[in-house]
Amino acid sequence: MSNVTYPVDTPQQLRTMLRTLRQARKLTQTQLGEMLGVSQKRIARIEAAPEVTAYDQIARMVSAMGCSLVIEEAPRHRVAEDEPAPYTPKW
């Protein structure tokens, strides 16, 4: 099984990702709520506003759908080719 990553940089992206993961697993909000011991309304609220949801609730929800949260260092990109190179002393 290959690992697929889904970068999430904004609350809107997290909203979309949570709903998409649930739907991809063919789960209703009610079914996911039953798995977590919460109501359908709670799942709807989490999907609608993950930015005001406790981390542990989002982590439990993601885990219940067979995924995990990962923090990854973002690659550094140079803005332009004409950006000055780091200073190198000429000894």
Side-chain angles (χ1 to χ4, degrees), residues 9-88:
D9 298 314
T10 66
Q12 294 82 5
Q13 290 173 331
L14 183 55
R15 235 177 260 137
T16 300
M17 185 52 53
L18 292 174
R19 184 176 44 254
T20 300
L21 284 173
R22 177 181 54 77
Q23 291 171 342
R25 280 140 182 83
K26 301 194 183 324
L27 292 170
T28 64
Q29 289 178 338
T30 300
Q31 290 168 324
L32 183 55
E34 288 171 358
M35 291 169 66
L36 296 172
V38 300
S39 69
Q40 174 273 326
K41 283 185 179 183
R42 183 65 192 137
I43 298 299
R45 283 188 215 127
I46 293 170
E47 287 183 357
E51 68 274 17
V52 296
T53 303
Y55 171 82
D56 66 312
Q57 291 180 337
I58 291 174
R60 286 182 57 226
M61 186 173 173
V62 168
S63 180
M65 292 187 285
C67 295
S68 63
L69 298 171
V70 175
I71 295 174
E72 179 178 274
E73 188 171 336
R76 295 182 63 189
H77 298 284
R78 292 183 71 171
V79 177
E81 282 188 36
D82 59 352
E83 180 178 300
Y87 175 72
T88 306

